[in-house]
Structures are given as structure tokens and as C-alpha cells.
Amino acid sequence: MKQSALDQMLRVYVALTAPQPGSRARDERGDVPGWVMVTVMTVGLAIAIFTFAQDPLKALLTRAFDSVK
């Protein structure tokens, strides 16, 4: 039976993501402090950008919404 390209790609994906024999189980909780830091920094960056670009962004969005009407 001939395998399709999708079947081959799925087999490769499963082979690459399957746990290796003898490896310890990975902690699935993740890096919570790291995610908190990334989230806080992203919010801070968005606030900083919005502070300087508030008027141009409002004008851009207003024109975009007006063109849709």
C-alpha cells in the first residue's frame, strides 16, 4: 500500500515528538514566571507605543472603518 505525503509527514511528526526511551517526563506546568514577565513586558510595550502613536493610530482606524461603511 502506497503512503500519501500526509501520512509520511504525520509519521515523521509522531516520531519527532514522541517521548524518547529513558527520558524523564517533561513538567507540563511550563515556565510561569517567564510567561508572566513576557506578558507584563508586552503590555508595557503596547502602552508605550500607544502613548506616542495614539493620534495617528486613531486616524488610521477611523479612515479604515469609514471606508468599510
Side-chain angles (χ1 to χ4, degrees), residues 7-25:
D7 288 337
Q8 290 175 347
M9 289 183 353
L10 287 174
R11 287 181 186 276
V12 169
Y13 174 76
V14 169
L16 292 175
T17 58
Q20 300 300 320
S23 66
R24 295 188 306 163

Side-chain angles (χ1 to χ4, degrees), residues 9-67:
M9 289 183 353
L10 287 174
R11 287 181 186 276
V12 169
Y13 174 76
V14 169
L16 292 175
T17 58
Q20 300 300 320
S23 66
R24 295 188 306 163
R26 183 169 176 258
D27 185 9
E28 293 295 328
R29 290 181 298 166
D31 182 17
V32 175
W35 283 108
V36 170
M37 183 180 71
V38 167
T39 303
V40 170
M41 290 177 68
T42 301
V43 169
L45 185 60
I47 290 171
I49 290 172
F50 190 72
T51 300
F52 294 109
Q54 183 175 3
D55 293 333
L57 285 174
K58 281 184 179 179
L60 179 74
L61 287 174
T62 302
R63 281 187 307 220
F65 288 138
D66 287 342
S67 69

Side-chain angles (χ1 to χ4, degrees), residues 6 18 44:
L6 179 60

